[in-house]
Amino acid sequence: MKILVIGSGGREHALVWKIAQSKLADNIFCAPGNGGISKLAECIDIKAEDIQGLLDFVRKEKIDLTVVGPEASLACGIVDEFFNYKLRIFGPNKKAAQLEASKVFAKELMAKYAVPTADFKIFDNAEEAERYVEKIALPCVIKADGLAQGKGVIIAKTADEAKQAVNSIMQERIFGEAGNKIIIEDCLEGQEASILVLTDSKSVVPLASSQDHKRIFDNDQGPNTGGMGAYSPAPVVTQELFKEILHKVVHRTIDGLSKDGIDYRGVLYAGIMITKDGPKVLEFNVRFGDPETQAILPRLKSDIVEVMLAATDKKLSRFKTLDWDGRSCVCVVCASGGYPGNYKNGKEISGLEETDKMQDVVVFHAGTKKPPTPNFQLPTRYFTNGGRVLGVTGLGDTIKKAIDKTYQAVEKINFEGMQYRKDIGYKAISR
Ligand code: AMP
Ligand code: GLY
């Protein structure tokens, strides 16, 4: 089969890497891809949001399966567009993608179908929202309705902070149209976990649990990022909790969508807070997590293409469970100096030939680039080209061993300004 993966991050590198192991994959393409991906797939210079360009490419190349990485392409309706031409594409359609693209849509669905989540109120008027925060318990959480590249959530400790958040989202429009409506919700306490499942809108096949590390600095300090590391499995998600989440969150959501006439196919990602009152949904994503995917897929033994095809073709009931490597997996993100603020690209990365030789280590590229005219006599040179540069991933019999392995690899890598968290996975040990 010819398979196209859309996107250019560490998640897409992990997807391409896993797809490359499938007996069904003959040729893999990635649009637009990155330096590391180009080792496994032919990178095509088409942007992830260029739906027409992607459609033209897929029709011309006779691609058999397209796998969508980022949410923006799904929210623009790439799946609906491909379905019109009877092309196989893995991911939810535009209506289903609202689960991530509109937090108001997600919250209303959760309320309607009794999916546990923080209590909330929706506003489309800034003055009303500002009056409301005067009289509620604090801290509270203010969320822009639409997509805001993971930055649309503000935790406010005081009424003034809350008003400021309302003002910047609804009046100053820092997230543009995404701020037409906001949600103000209770602040939940507990540990977070990510539960990802594959679904064809009827059957559900869970992936292994994982935990992300969103803040830039150790001990969850500093501003939020796209994710600085992850590990799988997440021991905070006991078997019992996993069952409860599947029942109360995943099935209720997918069945609820179905009842409302929305067919959800692809990956459903539930960001969960494990509170003292049980698991509650923080957010839904309609795609694989980044960097969770980099920690989950190295543990997956089943053929990912087979399951993706089954989800796309509504034949997922053939799979009850997937086969997993029982070891733990840790992914540490190496980021550019200054990220998540401003940073410089173009720094040469060293140490990758050494990590290539390590067993049970894979380095997924996120923001990297190769020089346009490589010298084939010499080892490939890679340069930084983004905030999150690499996702260094290691497996171990225990979480401790996986952590040690991963950091051994991280220490071999360097580029000017490189920063990474030193505490990825430690929450799992301290349990
Ligand atoms: P979201 O974009 O909705 O996933 O939110 C991003 C991050 O904000 C989550 O991963 C949590 O760390 C935090 N967050 C979101 N909603 C809440 C909430 N209700 N209570 C506490 N933290 C939250
Ligand atoms: N790891 C968080 C996300 O993918 O949205």
Side-chain angles (χ1 to χ4, degrees):
M1 289 182 92
K2 283 182 162 184
I3 301 174
L4 168 69
V5 174
I6 297 174
S8 62
R11 164 183 56 205
E12 286 76 17
H13 192 183
L15 284 166
V16 164
W17 173 85
K18 188 64 204 167
I19 289 169
Q21 295 166 19
S22 166
K23 58 180 189 300
L24 298 172
D26 299 311
N27 292 303
I28 309 175
F29 301 85
C30 190
N34 65 34
I37 291 174
S38 64
K39 257 182 151 176
L40 298 169
E42 189 178 325
C43 291
I44 309 295
D45 190 18
I46 307 175
K47 291 208 171 64
E49 299 83 38
D50 179 3
I51 312 280
Q52 190 58 48
L54 292 164
L55 187 61
D56 292 344
F57 173 78
V58 163
R59 294 182 68 202
K60 181 168 139 266
E61 281 293 331
K62 302 201 168 32
I63 300 290
D64 300 290
L65 173 68
T66 301
V67 177
V68 188
E71 62 275 14
S73 326
L74 296 164
C76 313
I78 189 171
V79 171
D80 312 60
E81 207 54 52
F82 274 45
F83 273 9
N84 287 340
Y85 289 91
K86 302 207 165 19
L87 298 167
R88 260 170 162 175
I89 181 162
F90 177 81
N93 60 27
K94 188 171 182 172
K95 274 191 178 164
Q98 289 179 94
L99 210 50
E100 177 168 357
S102 166
K103 291 188 196 287
V104 168
F105 174 88
K107 279 291 197 178
E108 286 178 336
L109 188 95
M110 286 189 266
K112 185 169 173 191
Y113 293 105
V115 176
T117 186
D119 286 340
F120 68 99
K121 225 171 134 67
I122 299 165
F123 294 90
D124 58 13
N125 176 296
E127 281 90 55
E128 269 174 45
E130 285 181 20
R131 276 200 298 278
Y132 178 73
V133 296
E134 290 279 1
K135 51 184 197 201
I136 54 170
L138 296 162
C140 68
V141 182
I142 323 263
K143 298 183 171 182
D145 175 38
L147 293 178
Q149 295 180 323
K151 297 187 184 118
V153 175
I154 299 166
I155 299 181
K157 293 194 199 77
T158 64
D160 275 346
E161 275 176 33
K163 282 188 207 164
Q164 216 176 354
V166 170
N167 192 51
S168 49
I169 299 175
M170 300 192 90
Q171 316 271 32
E172 288 168 27
R173 296 280 164 158
I174 53 170
F175 306 121
E177 297 265 299
N180 288 352
K181 289 184 187 172
I182 59 165
I183 289 161
I184 301 181
E185 68 178 32
D186 290 353
C187 189
L188 301 175
E189 276 177 51
Q191 256 204 66
E192 286 184 45
S194 305
I195 300 296
L196 282 74
V197 304
L198 299 174
T199 179
D200 62 359
S201 91
K202 285 198 172 66
S203 299
V204 165
V205 177
L207 298 178
S209 64
S210 59
Q211 193 177 57
D212 186 9
H213 297 65
K214 288 210 165 72
R215 305 293 196 96
I216 183 76
F217 300 127
D218 287 7
N219 301 312
D220 299 328
Q221 302 295 310
N224 263 327
T225 68
M228 290 301 289
Y231 61 88
S232 172
V236 64
V237 186
T238 58
Q239 258 189 3
E240 246 167 55
L241 270 173
F242 209 132
K243 269 195 207 150
E244 189 179 343
I245 294 166
L246 288 180
H247 169 64
K248 291 188 181 163
V249 174
V250 174
H251 283 286
R252 283 184 193 172
T253 301
I254 291 166
D255 295 348
L257 285 167
S258 255
K259 281 184 195 143
D260 290 355
I262 297 176
D263 182 81
Y264 194 107
R265 289 185 234 177
V267 192
L268 175 64
Y269 163 145
I272 303 282
M273 186 75 92
I274 316 282
T275 73
K276 63 176 179 10
D277 305 320
K280 294 192 179 183
V281 175
L282 290 168
E283 63 162 341
F284 282 119
N285 294 320
V286 297
R287 37 124 188 123
F288 286 98
D290 190 339
E292 288 94 331
T293 306
Q294 294 89 305
I296 292 173
L297 292 189
R299 298 187 53 225
L300 179 63
K301 292 209 239 166
S302 310
D303 185 325
I304 196 170
V305 177
E306 281 182 1
V307 227
M308 284 175 162
L309 285 172
T312 309
D313 297 346
K314 280 191 164 287
K315 290 183 178 147
L316 199 61
S317 60
R318 289 200 279 129
F319 292 84
K320 288 287 169 279
T321 52
L322 300 175
D323 243 359
W324 294 96
D325 184 330
R327 292 178 295 170
S328 289
C329 187
V330 171
C331 170
V332 173
V333 170
C334 300
S336 295
Y339 174 80
N342 295 333
Y343 54 84
K344 288 208 173 87
N345 285 334
K347 310 289 178 194
E348 181 156 14
I349 304 166
S350 66
L352 294 173
E353 295 112 70
E354 278 180 73
T355 52
D356 269 354
K357 291 181 209 138
M358 290 177 75
Q359 235 191 341
D360 296 328
V361 167
V362 202
V363 177
F364 294 117
H365 291 223
T368 74
K369 214 175 167 171
K370 287 200 300 201
T373 45
N375 180 339
F376 292 106
Q377 266 85 56
L378 295 171
T380 313
R381 296 170 73 193
Y382 292 99
F383 296 84
T384 65
N385 189 40
R388 291 189 294 171
V389 176
L390 300 167
V392 182
T393 303
L395 287 153
D397 289 334
T398 60
I399 180 79
K400 177 75 175 65
K401 285 185 180 162
I403 292 170
D404 291 346
K405 186 88 191 183
T406 307
Y407 281 103
Q408 276 168 26
V410 170
E411 278 156 23
K412 294 187 194 298
I413 295 172
N414 195 29
F415 53 84
E416 193 188 314
M418 174 169 123
Q419 54 165 341
Y420 59 91
R421 275 180 64 161
K422 317 271 186 308
D423 65 343
I424 303 300
Y426 279 87
K427 279 199 199 114
I429 297 188
S430 58
R431 278 183 64 81

